[in-house]
PDB file of all heavy atoms in Angstrom:
ATOM      1  N   ARG P  16      12.657  -2.873   7.043  1.00 93.00           N
ATOM      2  CA  ARG P  16      12.931  -1.709   6.192  1.00 93.00           C
ATOM      3  C   ARG P  16      13.965  -0.793   6.841  1.00 93.00           C
ATOM      4  O   ARG P  16      14.017  -0.681   8.063  1.00 93.00           O
ATOM      5  CB  ARG P  16      11.640  -0.926   5.952  1.00 93.00           C
ATOM      6  CG  ARG P  16      10.562  -1.730   5.239  1.00 93.00           C
ATOM      7  CD  ARG P  16      10.997  -2.031   3.809  1.00 93.00           C
ATOM      8  NE  ARG P  16      10.077  -2.944   3.137  1.00 93.00           N
ATOM      9  CZ  ARG P  16       8.982  -2.545   2.497  1.00 93.00           C
ATOM     10  NH1 ARG P  16       8.671  -1.268   2.467  1.00 93.00           N
ATOM     11  NH2 ARG P  16       8.228  -3.423   1.892  1.00 93.00           N
ATOM     12  N   ASP P  21       6.042   5.679   5.637  1.00 97.00           N
ATOM     13  CA  ASP P  21       4.662   5.977   6.018  1.00 97.00           C
ATOM     14  C   ASP P  21       4.595   7.378   6.639  1.00 97.00           C
ATOM     15  O   ASP P  21       5.614   7.915   7.094  1.00 97.00           O
ATOM     16  CB  ASP P  21       4.160   4.988   7.086  1.00 97.00           C
ATOM     17  CG  ASP P  21       3.821   3.613   6.514  1.00 97.00           C
ATOM     18  OD1 ASP P  21       3.988   3.406   5.299  1.00 97.00           O
ATOM     19  OD2 ASP P  21       3.383   2.756   7.306  1.00 97.00           O
ATOM     20  N   ASP P  34       1.014   5.734   2.900  1.00 98.00           N
ATOM     21  CA  ASP P  34       2.091   4.757   2.758  1.00 98.00           C
ATOM     22  C   ASP P  34       2.842   5.106   1.472  1.00 98.00           C
ATOM     23  O   ASP P  34       2.340   4.900   0.372  1.00 98.00           O
ATOM     24  CB  ASP P  34       1.457   3.357   2.677  1.00 98.00           C
ATOM     25  CG  ASP P  34       2.487   2.236   2.548  1.00 98.00           C
ATOM     26  OD1 ASP P  34       3.657   2.534   2.230  1.00 98.00           O
ATOM     27  OD2 ASP P  34       2.107   1.079   2.749  1.00 98.00           O
ATOM     28  N   GLY P  35       4.041   5.660   1.632  1.00 97.00           N
ATOM     29  CA  GLY P  35       4.797   6.143   0.473  1.00 97.00           C
ATOM     30  C   GLY P  35       5.487   5.020  -0.275  1.00 97.00           C
ATOM     31  O   GLY P  35       5.905   4.031   0.311  1.00 97.00           O
ATOM     32  N   LEU P  36       5.606   5.189  -1.594  1.00 93.00           N
ATOM     33  CA  LEU P  36       6.267   4.206  -2.442  1.00 93.00           C
ATOM     34  C   LEU P  36       7.328   4.905  -3.265  1.00 93.00           C
ATOM     35  O   LEU P  36       7.158   6.059  -3.640  1.00 93.00           O
ATOM     36  CB  LEU P  36       5.286   3.585  -3.439  1.00 93.00           C
ATOM     37  CG  LEU P  36       3.816   3.538  -3.099  1.00 93.00           C
ATOM     38  CD1 LEU P  36       3.001   3.668  -4.359  1.00 93.00           C
ATOM     39  CD2 LEU P  36       3.547   2.233  -2.405  1.00 93.00           C
ATOM     40  N   ASP P 111      -3.812   0.988  -1.009  1.00 97.00           N
ATOM     41  CA  ASP P 111      -4.117  -0.226  -0.255  1.00 97.00           C
ATOM     42  C   ASP P 111      -3.997  -0.051   1.260  1.00 97.00           C
ATOM     43  O   ASP P 111      -3.920  -1.029   1.994  1.00 97.00           O
ATOM     44  CB  ASP P 111      -3.253  -1.404  -0.723  1.00 97.00           C
ATOM     45  CG  ASP P 111      -1.792  -1.225  -0.359  1.00 97.00           C
ATOM     46  OD1 ASP P 111      -1.405  -0.098   0.034  1.00 97.00           O
ATOM     47  OD2 ASP P 111      -1.021  -2.206  -0.462  1.00 97.00           O
ATOM     48  N   THR P 184      -1.890   1.301   7.532  1.00 98.00           N
ATOM     49  CA  THR P 184      -1.182   0.958   6.306  1.00 98.00           C
ATOM     50  C   THR P 184      -1.032  -0.568   6.240  1.00 98.00           C
ATOM     51  O   THR P 184      -1.342  -1.273   7.208  1.00 98.00           O
ATOM     52  CB  THR P 184       0.209   1.628   6.246  1.00 98.00           C
ATOM     53  OG1 THR P 184       0.974   1.199   7.372  1.00 98.00           O
ATOM     54  CG2 THR P 184       0.075   3.148   6.280  1.00 98.00           C
ATOM     55  N   ASP P 185      -0.543  -1.070   5.114  1.00 97.00           N
ATOM     56  CA  ASP P 185      -0.476  -2.523   4.931  1.00 97.00           C
ATOM     57  C   ASP P 185       0.578  -3.178   5.835  1.00 97.00           C
ATOM     58  O   ASP P 185       0.619  -4.403   5.917  1.00 97.00           O
ATOM     59  CB  ASP P 185      -0.255  -2.894   3.462  1.00 97.00           C
ATOM     60  CG  ASP P 185       1.106  -2.471   2.944  1.00 97.00           C
ATOM     61  OD1 ASP P 185       1.710  -1.554   3.548  1.00 97.00           O
ATOM     62  OD2 ASP P 185       1.572  -3.052   1.942  1.00 97.00           O
ATOM     63  N   GLY P 186       1.400  -2.381   6.493  1.00 97.00           N
ATOM     64  CA  GLY P 186       2.309  -2.944   7.494  1.00 97.00           C
ATOM     65  C   GLY P 186       1.539  -3.547   8.658  1.00 97.00           C
ATOM     66  O   GLY P 186       2.062  -4.385   9.399  1.00 97.00           O
ATOM     67  N   ASP P 224       7.164  -4.585   7.178  1.00 95.00           N
ATOM     68  CA  ASP P 224       6.948  -3.307   6.490  1.00 95.00           C
ATOM     69  C   ASP P 224       6.792  -2.212   7.547  1.00 95.00           C
ATOM     70  O   ASP P 224       6.593  -2.496   8.721  1.00 95.00           O
ATOM     71  CB  ASP P 224       5.671  -3.416   5.639  1.00 95.00           C
ATOM     72  CG  ASP P 224       5.545  -2.289   4.615  1.00 95.00           C
ATOM     73  OD1 ASP P 224       6.448  -1.436   4.530  1.00 95.00           O
ATOM     74  OD2 ASP P 224       4.521  -2.283   3.909  1.00 95.00           O
ATOM     75  N   ASN P 225       6.873  -0.959   7.098  1.00 97.00           N
ATOM     76  CA  ASN P 225       6.519   0.153   7.982  1.00 97.00           C
ATOM     77  C   ASN P 225       5.072  -0.045   8.397  1.00 97.00           C
ATOM     78  O   ASN P 225       4.249  -0.437   7.584  1.00 97.00           O
ATOM     79  CB  ASN P 225       6.622   1.492   7.240  1.00 97.00           C
ATOM     80  CG  ASN P 225       7.957   1.713   6.547  1.00 97.00           C
ATOM     81  OD1 ASN P 225       7.998   2.288   5.468  1.00 97.00           O
ATOM     82  ND2 ASN P 225       9.048   1.267   7.147  1.00 97.00           N
ATOM     83  N   VAL P 226       4.788   0.241   9.670  1.00 98.00           N
ATOM     84  CA  VAL P 226       3.414   0.041  10.141  1.00 98.00           C
ATOM     85  C   VAL P 226       2.896   1.329  10.771  1.00 98.00           C
ATOM     86  O   VAL P 226       3.588   1.939  11.588  1.00 98.00           O
ATOM     87  CB  VAL P 226       3.316  -1.164  11.107  1.00 98.00           C
ATOM     88  CG1 VAL P 226       4.327  -1.066  12.220  1.00 98.00           C
ATOM     89  CG2 VAL P 226       1.914  -1.287  11.696  1.00 98.00           C
TER      90      VAL P 226
HETATM   91 MN1   MN G 401       3.489  -0.428   3.247  1.00 67.81          MN
END
Side-chain angles (χ1 to χ4, degrees):
R16 299 293 173 86
D21 284 1
D34 181 345
L36 334 147
D111 69 347
T184 59
D185 67 338
D224 195 2
N225 308 143
V226 52

